[in-house]
Amino acid sequence: MKTVKKLNCKDKTVLLRVDFNISLKNGVVTNDTRIKEALPTIRLLLNKGAKIILVSHLGRPHGKKVKELSMAPVARRIQELLNQSVRLLDLDTRGIGKIIKRSPYNLFMLENIRYYPGEEINSPDFVKELASLADIFINDAFGTAHRAHASTVGITGFLPSYFGLLMEKEVTILKQVLQKAKKPFVLIIGGAKTPEKIRVIESLMHKTDNIILGGAIANTFLCAWGFGTGCSLVDHEMIEMAKVVFWKATQNHCALRLPLDLVISDPQRKKTPKNVDFDKMPKNMAAFDIGPKTITHFNDLIKRAKTIIWNGPMGHYEDLRFCRGTKAILNAIVKTGAFSIVGGGDTISNIKEKTFINKITHVSTGGGAMLEFLHRGTLPGIEAIEKQNK
Ligand code: ADP
Ligand code: MG
């Protein structure tokens, strides 16, 4: 990979695409993993004498300047972490290019790049405007590399482009898994985004021995198998696909492991949670977590694994009464000593303790990006730079 390591960028202006799409609560950053993971590249570029313009999106403002989605809290957090001032600029500021060039400061951040309608549609005019600010483009936004937007793909048509250190780290480790994962290989999938996750299940079943399913995606599989799921969250459009995946998994000698029991409540979660077996789901109740029998079963599978990939919580973990399954999976993984990769916005928000983070081989900053990389072996943001360097 053509990375920033050997790049000479003294006195050059570098547009650095990062993924600072993080969670905020009342204007304060609640999980700064993604910011911390981008610091090595920022520090390296500053040491090399470059002027940096940080570019990221935050949430989905759909081309409008939504105040709650300003990058200001993120800029403040970087300022604290680097002990250096960060100038936040709106791309629409008149003469912004000159302001940056003439400024004595060397660290800038653009406002939420999705404030501008040209970003997501990768508009050529917008790309040109963005490219005119810098001499070099560096992509360190692994978490957004599955999107072909102006600041991830379009810009590589105008500026010499390189990979950042985080991008290199993520890609190296994920390639390692795709090429030589030790068996038993266990894939754990939970959460709610069934359509994007089901594709990964399909493409990895040839390599994995066990695929553990929890969370809402497990409900969809239980429903496809003909079990009653009551009022649980089920993706009805994915039922047929789930049946196909089940059949293909059998052909590939890969076992799909579904919950044996579930923690249920009424759909509004007013009633005290109760455990029921997977085939005794009452019509008026919904499943919000995996039950104790399932935890034991999944624990046994994880214990024996040599390679583990995990994406997606086992239940509606935001409500602490339904976070036990997710916590149990995390505990089981950190105890194994297996080669482990964990990714996904909601998934990694469950791993704040350093002792846990240190026991996982790789905590990926990408959710959708990690899954798509595992599915395709590359991403649009990566291909765009590789194509340029051919
Ligand atoms: P990630 O961000 O880690 O990829 P997802 O975004 O796919 O994960 O899924 C996380 C969401 O899924 C959480 O908001 C969680 O509450 C929800 N979820 C998981 N299991 C259930 C369930 N059984 N019922 C309702 N929501 C669930
Ligand atoms: Mg999520």
Side-chain angles (χ1 to χ4, degrees), residues 368-379:
M370 176 183 91
L371 294 181
E372 192 166 328
F373 190 92
L374 291 170
H375 172 59
R376 284 185 53 224
T378 186
L379 296 170

Side-chain angles (χ1 to χ4, degrees), residues 92-375:
D92 292 336
T93 310
R94 215 180 237 232
I96 180 176
K98 279 192 193 136
I99 294 175
I100 294 172
K101 286 229 158 69
R102 289 178 189 158
S103 166
Y105 293 98
N106 50 9
L107 192 52
F108 300 86
M109 176 173 246
L110 290 189
E111 252 309 352
N112 191 340
I113 199 70
R114 290 194 189 160
Y115 273 4
Y116 315 98
E119 165 66 0
E120 289 183 76
I121 57 166
N122 193 7
S123 121
D125 288 341
F126 183 70
V127 172
K128 273 184 216 153
E129 191 185 336
L130 207 54
S132 73
L133 300 179
D135 308 301
I136 298 166
F137 171 66
I138 293 167
N139 194 348
D140 212 16
F142 177 74
T144 323
H146 58 317
R147 309 270 183 234
H149 294 168
S151 70
T152 58
V153 169
I155 193 146
T156 63
F158 291 86
L159 293 177
S161 310
Y162 300 82
F163 293 108
L165 301 175
L166 174 61
M167 190 73 128
E168 183 189 29
K169 182 170 109 179
E170 295 265 13
V171 168
T172 307
I173 210 138
L174 291 176
K175 273 195 176 148
Q176 228 172 310
V177 180
L178 286 177
Q179 283 157 7
K180 44 179 184 211
K182 277 198 193 145
K183 295 195 139 221
F185 181 173
V186 174
L187 174 67
I188 307 162
I189 299 283
K193 287 175 279 180
T194 302
E196 70 181 53
K197 299 188 185 205
I198 213 163
R199 287 191 302 148
V200 184
I201 296 176
E202 199 182 0
S203 59
L204 286 184
M205 62 173 60
H206 318 277
K207 298 192 170 108
T208 47
D209 303 288
N210 283 293
I211 299 182
I212 289 175
L213 296 177
I217 187 168
N219 298 337
T220 302
F221 274 84
L222 285 170
C223 186
W225 217 224
F227 297 106
T229 45
C231 306
S232 306
L233 184 60
V234 169
D235 190 331
H236 289 281
E237 283 177 21
M238 286 291 124
I239 298 285
E240 287 309 309
M241 181 70 180
K243 285 181 191 164
V244 171
V245 165
F246 234 121
W247 186 82
K248 283 192 183 167
T250 315
Q251 297 287 308
N252 283 290
H253 307 286
C254 166
L256 287 187
R257 309 289 188 168
L258 288 172
L260 302 174
D261 57 348
L262 300 154
V263 186
I264 61 165
S265 179
D266 62 294
Q268 278 72 44
R269 286 178 279 119
K270 294 233 165 64
K271 292 207 169 99
T272 308
K274 216 172 79 178
N275 302 330
V276 293
D277 285 347
F278 71 99
D279 55 352
K280 307 250 165 24
M281 188 68 205
K283 277 204 174 71
N284 56 345
M285 302 287 252
F288 290 108
D289 198 4
I290 54 173
K293 289 183 203 165
T294 311
I295 290 177
T296 307
H297 175 48
F298 288 178
N299 255 334
D300 284 342
L301 296 168
I302 293 169
K303 227 191 274 170
R304 278 180 268 141
K306 291 252 164 35
T307 307
I308 302 165
I309 294 178
W310 177 30
N311 165 261
M314 293 291 107
H316 183 67
Y317 72 93
E318 295 95 331
D319 180 333
L320 294 182
R321 296 171 303 163
F322 304 106
C323 75
R324 252 181 232 142
T326 305
K327 295 272 179 237
I329 293 289
L330 176 61
N331 276 317
I333 294 175
V334 298
K335 269 197 211 137
T336 56
F339 184 99
S340 55
I341 297 183
V342 179
D346 287 278
T347 312
I348 68 169
S349 71
N350 282 282
I351 327 174
K352 294 203 180 95
E353 300 84 355
K354 225 184 162 92
T355 46
F356 280 179
I357 296 174
N358 291 342
K359 287 202 174 117
I360 293 165
T361 314
H362 180 60
V363 177
S364 178
T365 53
M370 176 183 91
L371 294 181
E372 192 166 328
F373 190 92
L374 291 170
H375 172 59

